[in-house]
Amino acid sequence: MILEILVAPDSRLKEVATPIENVTDEVRETLDNMLETMYAAPGVGLAAPQVGILKRMIVIDVDYAKEEGQKNPYKIINPEIVWTSEETSIYQEGCLSVPEYFDDVERPEKCRVEALNENGEKITIEADGLLATCIQHEIDHLNGLLFVDHLSRLKKSRALNKLEKLKKRGVKFHNNTPISENL
Ligand code: K1U
Ligand code: ZN
């Protein structure tokens, strides 16, 4: 099932999500729905708060972006960043909750993340490149942060004010694109 992706500004995107206590069938079904939603958007990651679920789970597939049809999804529950590299890298990020805005964000180049998989087993992910960027971007969502929070105040307000105006005019978004106006 495809879920509705929240668009900023939305107070639910600023909340800190709570840990998952038990990895149940309901959690697995939500992860599957999140993946379906992410592929349809299309995106390379999605965090549960972006679909209005304030729980600590994310999905990622950076390989899908490289070669269409090649799926290599991660379903990640209660992720914790346990190490980051001192070297940083700059990547032009986008966000499904901040449609039509892209900007450079500097983050640690590599990171190590401990989490649970969809079977409730402990996993460790050693990430670099786009995977490291994406996993840090998604964990930010679990902590109520958007990538525009890493930009200057001016750039952040430019990005969010534009969206706020579109929302006030009744513009709805579909697949990251404004689609309609109820004037
Ligand atoms: O969290 C999100 O909103 C998803 C976001 C993840 C992300 C992208 C780039 C850098 C960091 C995190 C996206 O997927 S935006 C869309 C996107 O980047 C993309 C879409 C289709 C093909 C390739 C990339
Ligand atoms: Zn995002």
PDB file of all heavy atoms in Angstrom, residues 83-89 106-110:
ATOM      1  N   TRP A  83      29.521   5.311  15.247  1.00  0.00           N
ATOM      2  CA  TRP A  83      30.821   5.890  14.844  1.00  0.00           C
ATOM      3  C   TRP A  83      30.623   6.709  13.579  1.00  0.00           C
ATOM      4  O   TRP A  83      29.828   6.340  12.713  1.00  0.00           O
ATOM      5  CB  TRP A  83      31.836   4.771  14.589  1.00  0.00           C
ATOM      6  CG  TRP A  83      33.130   5.259  14.009  1.00  0.00           C
ATOM      7  CD1 TRP A  83      34.181   5.796  14.690  1.00  0.00           C
ATOM      8  CD2 TRP A  83      33.501   5.269  12.615  1.00  0.00           C
ATOM      9  NE1 TRP A  83      35.182   6.158  13.812  1.00  0.00           N
ATOM     10  CE2 TRP A  83      34.791   5.842  12.534  1.00  0.00           C
ATOM     11  CE3 TRP A  83      32.861   4.855  11.443  1.00  0.00           C
ATOM     12  CZ2 TRP A  83      35.461   6.002  11.326  1.00  0.00           C
ATOM     13  CZ3 TRP A  83      33.528   5.022  10.228  1.00  0.00           C
ATOM     14  CH2 TRP A  83      34.815   5.585  10.178  1.00  0.00           C
ATOM     15  N   THR A  84      31.337   7.841  13.511  1.00  0.00           N
ATOM     16  CA  THR A  84      31.387   8.609  12.255  1.00  0.00           C
ATOM     17  C   THR A  84      32.841   8.952  11.959  1.00  0.00           C
ATOM     18  O   THR A  84      33.651   9.133  12.882  1.00  0.00           O
ATOM     19  CB  THR A  84      30.584   9.931  12.348  1.00  0.00           C
ATOM     20  OG1 THR A  84      31.032  10.664  13.484  1.00  0.00           O
ATOM     21  CG2 THR A  84      29.089   9.714  12.446  1.00  0.00           C
ATOM     22  N   SER A  85      33.165   9.046  10.682  1.00  0.00           N
ATOM     23  CA  SER A  85      34.532   9.399  10.287  1.00  0.00           C
ATOM     24  C   SER A  85      34.784  10.885  10.499  1.00  0.00           C
ATOM     25  O   SER A  85      33.835  11.676  10.546  1.00  0.00           O
ATOM     26  CB  SER A  85      34.757   9.063   8.806  1.00  0.00           C
ATOM     27  OG  SER A  85      33.870   9.808   8.007  1.00  0.00           O
ATOM     28  N   GLU A  86      36.077  11.235  10.618  1.00  0.00           N
ATOM     29  CA  GLU A  86      36.399  12.671  10.708  1.00  0.00           C
ATOM     30  C   GLU A  86      36.288  13.328   9.343  1.00  0.00           C
ATOM     31  O   GLU A  86      35.902  14.487   9.230  1.00  0.00           O
ATOM     32  CB  GLU A  86      37.804  12.862  11.270  1.00  0.00           C
ATOM     33  CG  GLU A  86      37.756  12.798  12.775  1.00  0.00           C
ATOM     34  CD  GLU A  86      39.089  13.011  13.433  1.00  0.00           C
ATOM     35  OE1 GLU A  86      39.958  13.665  12.812  1.00  0.00           O
ATOM     36  OE2 GLU A  86      39.248  12.512  14.549  1.00  0.00           O
ATOM     37  N   GLU A  87      36.620  12.559   8.271  1.00  0.00           N
ATOM     38  CA  GLU A  87      36.485  13.142   6.921  1.00  0.00           C
ATOM     39  C   GLU A  87      35.003  13.359   6.644  1.00  0.00           C
ATOM     40  O   GLU A  87      34.163  12.537   7.024  1.00  0.00           O
ATOM     41  CB  GLU A  87      37.003  12.229   5.802  1.00  0.00           C
ATOM     42  CG  GLU A  87      38.248  11.449   6.052  1.00  0.00           C
ATOM     43  CD  GLU A  87      37.913  10.033   6.462  1.00  0.00           C
ATOM     44  OE1 GLU A  87      37.773   9.166   5.585  1.00  0.00           O
ATOM     45  OE2 GLU A  87      37.801   9.825   7.690  1.00  0.00           O
ATOM     46  N   THR A  88      34.733  14.427   5.954  1.00  0.00           N
ATOM     47  CA  THR A  88      33.345  14.725   5.599  1.00  0.00           C
ATOM     48  C   THR A  88      33.204  14.703   4.080  1.00  0.00           C
ATOM     49  O   THR A  88      34.205  14.707   3.354  1.00  0.00           O
ATOM     50  CB  THR A  88      32.917  16.109   6.128  1.00  0.00           C
ATOM     51  OG1 THR A  88      33.797  17.091   5.586  1.00  0.00           O
ATOM     52  CG2 THR A  88      32.938  16.162   7.639  1.00  0.00           C
ATOM     53  N   SER A  89      31.958  14.675   3.615  1.00  0.00           N
ATOM     54  CA  SER A  89      31.735  14.821   2.181  1.00  0.00           C
ATOM     55  C   SER A  89      30.499  15.701   1.993  1.00  0.00           C
ATOM     56  O   SER A  89      29.671  15.825   2.898  1.00  0.00           O
ATOM     57  CB  SER A  89      31.551  13.470   1.494  1.00  0.00           C
ATOM     58  OG  SER A  89      30.392  12.860   1.958  1.00  0.00           O
ATOM     59  N   GLU A 106      26.960  19.034   4.183  1.00  0.00           N
ATOM     60  CA  GLU A 106      28.217  18.381   4.560  1.00  0.00           C
ATOM     61  C   GLU A 106      27.954  17.462   5.759  1.00  0.00           C
ATOM     62  O   GLU A 106      27.358  17.888   6.753  1.00  0.00           O
ATOM     63  CB  GLU A 106      29.253  19.454   4.939  1.00  0.00           C
ATOM     64  CG  GLU A 106      30.611  18.863   5.237  1.00  0.00           C
ATOM     65  CD  GLU A 106      31.674  19.942   5.435  1.00  0.00           C
ATOM     66  OE1 GLU A 106      31.315  21.137   5.557  1.00  0.00           O
ATOM     67  OE2 GLU A 106      32.861  19.568   5.484  1.00  0.00           O
ATOM     68  N   ARG A 107      28.359  16.218   5.620  1.00  0.00           N
ATOM     69  CA  ARG A 107      28.172  15.237   6.706  1.00  0.00           C
ATOM     70  C   ARG A 107      29.412  14.352   6.774  1.00  0.00           C
ATOM     71  O   ARG A 107      30.197  14.309   5.816  1.00  0.00           O
ATOM     72  CB  ARG A 107      26.980  14.320   6.411  1.00  0.00           C
ATOM     73  CG  ARG A 107      25.628  15.000   6.256  1.00  0.00           C
ATOM     74  CD  ARG A 107      24.561  13.926   6.056  1.00  0.00           C
ATOM     75  NE  ARG A 107      23.250  14.466   5.749  1.00  0.00           N
ATOM     76  CZ  ARG A 107      22.314  14.750   6.651  1.00  0.00           C
ATOM     77  NH1 ARG A 107      22.561  14.553   7.935  1.00  0.00           N
ATOM     78  NH2 ARG A 107      21.134  15.210   6.291  1.00  0.00           N
ATOM     79  N   PRO A 108      29.577  13.583   7.877  1.00  0.00           N
ATOM     80  CA  PRO A 108      30.674  12.610   7.908  1.00  0.00           C
ATOM     81  C   PRO A 108      30.599  11.691   6.684  1.00  0.00           C
ATOM     82  O   PRO A 108      29.512  11.232   6.299  1.00  0.00           O
ATOM     83  CB  PRO A 108      30.425  11.834   9.202  1.00  0.00           C
ATOM     84  CG  PRO A 108      29.695  12.810  10.075  1.00  0.00           C
ATOM     85  CD  PRO A 108      28.834  13.626   9.142  1.00  0.00           C
ATOM     86  N   GLU A 109      31.772  11.431   6.086  1.00  0.00           N
ATOM     87  CA  GLU A 109      31.853  10.622   4.856  1.00  0.00           C
ATOM     88  C   GLU A 109      31.426   9.170   5.085  1.00  0.00           C
ATOM     89  O   GLU A 109      30.826   8.531   4.232  1.00  0.00           O
ATOM     90  CB  GLU A 109      33.319  10.699   4.404  1.00  0.00           C
ATOM     91  CG  GLU A 109      33.819   9.618   3.513  1.00  0.00           C
ATOM     92  CD  GLU A 109      34.008  10.124   2.103  1.00  0.00           C
ATOM     93  OE1 GLU A 109      34.503  11.246   1.960  1.00  0.00           O
ATOM     94  OE2 GLU A 109      33.660   9.367   1.190  1.00  0.00           O
ATOM     95  N   LYS A 110      31.774   8.661   6.307  1.00  0.00           N
ATOM     96  CA  LYS A 110      31.459   7.255   6.624  1.00  0.00           C
ATOM     97  C   LYS A 110      30.788   7.188   7.988  1.00  0.00           C
ATOM     98  O   LYS A 110      31.049   8.049   8.846  1.00  0.00           O
ATOM     99  CB  LYS A 110      32.747   6.427   6.696  1.00  0.00           C
ATOM    100  CG  LYS A 110      33.487   6.360   5.383  1.00  0.00           C
ATOM    101  CD  LYS A 110      34.781   5.581   5.532  1.00  0.00           C
ATOM    102  CE  LYS A 110      35.565   5.665   4.230  1.00  0.00           C
ATOM    103  NZ  LYS A 110      36.913   5.156   4.347  1.00  0.00           N
TER     104      LYS A 110
END
